Amino acid sequence: MRVLVTGATTAPGRSVLDQLLERGLHGIGADQLPAPDRTHEWLRLPSVGDPHYVNEIAGLLARHRVDLLIPTGGDLHLVAAANNLPQAVIAPLEAVIAANDRWLTTRRLAAAGIGVPLSVHGWQVSRPVRDLIGEPFVARPRTAGGDGIRVFESWADAPQFTSAEIVAEFIPGTANRADVHLTRDERDDVVTTTTTTLNSGAQGGETVESVSAPDVAALALAACRELGILGPAEVNIRRRGNGTPVVLGVNARFGAHSHHSPEILDAVLARATVGA
């Protein structure tokens, strides 16, 4: 099987390519950036904003006899909207759009009774909102993949927020990720859970460990179903002080640490093999 992975320089893309290599499959990396190494076959793509981007991918699929296309970067919405990429492993366009917009994700999940942090648009911050959200609190980009999450200890330290940001309560508990693969038949859904710890000291980085967390798994599946996601996804979850998990965000793609959850790629490959 020949698999083309776009967004190949991102953490999700590298993770998928490494897993393909471990399985002895032919993984092909594609990105607008040069290859970081020569472990995999590498193809250059134009920028996602290029009007010929989708056609370039279609051409690569044909010329390199690709069986499966796994997008992992900023091209998710383009691949989901394309009608000439039948090899693509991607959620429906509406689900991709909903997951990419953190505000829309929060509103959709809250309306369905799925736990999320108390949140407002940046421009909606007022004294009653400050009192409701409390301290500390966080500000994060409305769009997934935006520049960073900022934690503020006090409202006195806060700048003027904009409509491009979401301001939300700080959830202090354990950081979890759920990697999922959803199908139209819930009996075939796959979900794994990990916990993430930030390392201190000069090395920094994260330590990711597989854990059994049935409530986190159930919450992740419920969130993805509510958004209409099919295929692979990553759900970021934290626990409140009382242990209740809430959804911080959903990514309609393989997760950055999906190598800790090989069951997800196994599910994708199994469905591709049987032509599902």
Side-chain angles (χ1 to χ4, degrees):
M1 180 180 291
R2 297 170 66 84
V3 184
L4 178 66
V5 180
T6 64
T9 60
T10 67
R14 294 196 303 270
S15 179
V16 172
L17 282 169
D18 289 344
Q19 291 178 73
L20 292 169
L21 184 64
E22 291 168 0
R23 289 166 170 78
L25 298 175
H26 191 114
I28 305 170
D31 207 300
Q32 70 182 88
L33 300 175
D37 57 54
R38 294 295 173 185
T39 305
H40 310 278
E41 182 178 355
W42 197 267
L43 304 173
R44 291 294 293 272
L45 283 170
S47 69
V48 172
D50 190 297
H52 303 292
Y53 184 86
V54 171
N55 287 335
E56 287 286 336
I57 292 180
L60 294 180
L61 296 177
R63 290 194 298 273
H64 294 269
R65 304 185 308 281
V66 171
D67 302 296
L68 207 61
L69 167 63
I70 299 179
T72 65
D75 60 351
L76 298 180
H77 62 294
L78 294 176
V79 175
N83 56 15
N84 61 340
L85 304 176
Q87 302 95 325
V89 179
I90 189 70
L93 179 59
E94 180 182 356
V96 171
I97 292 172
N100 188 64
D101 185 332
R102 297 304 194 212
W103 180 251
L104 183 54
T105 296
T106 298
R107 294 300 90 205
R108 286 272 297 272
L109 298 186
I114 295 171
V116 292
L118 293 172
S119 306
V120 296
H121 270 305
W123 59 267
Q124 292 177 309
V125 172
S126 61
R127 184 171 297 278
V129 166
R130 295 190 194 102
D131 293 340
L132 182 63
I133 289 178
E135 298 173 337
F137 65 95
V138 300
R140 54 181 177 157
R142 174 172 176 168
T143 302
D147 290 335
I149 297 175
R150 295 177 291 165
V151 179
F152 295 91
E153 294 297 327
S154 167
W155 288 102
D157 303 326
Q160 188 75 29
F161 298 111
T162 72
S163 59
E165 298 173 286
I166 298 173
V167 178
E169 64 173 316
F170 177 72
I171 308 297
T174 305
N176 291 104
R177 284 189 180 93
D179 288 284
V180 305
H181 181 269
L182 290 97
T183 70
R184 298 191 184 281
D185 186 341
E186 294 182 5
R187 294 172 297 180
D188 295 329
D189 290 345
V190 179
V191 58
T192 66
T193 53
T194 57
T195 184
T196 304
T197 304
L198 292 177
N199 300 327
S200 59
Q203 297 301 317
E206 297 177 330
T207 297
V208 180
E209 297 179 311
S210 297
V211 296
S212 176
D215 57 343
V216 169
L219 184 68
L221 288 171
C224 289
R225 291 185 191 121
E226 177 60 31
L227 296 178
I229 289 176
L230 295 173
E234 174 189 49
V235 186
N236 293 314
I237 292 172
R238 269 188 178 268
R239 293 186 184 275
R240 296 187 185 277
N242 63 5
T244 303
V246 296
V247 176
L248 303 188
V250 180
N251 297 309
R253 53 155 173 75
F254 273 89
H257 299 289
S258 64
H259 52 282
H260 289 280
S261 305
E263 300 92 333
I264 307 305
L265 183 56
D266 288 342
V268 168
L269 297 173
R271 293 187 67 80
T273 300
V274 301

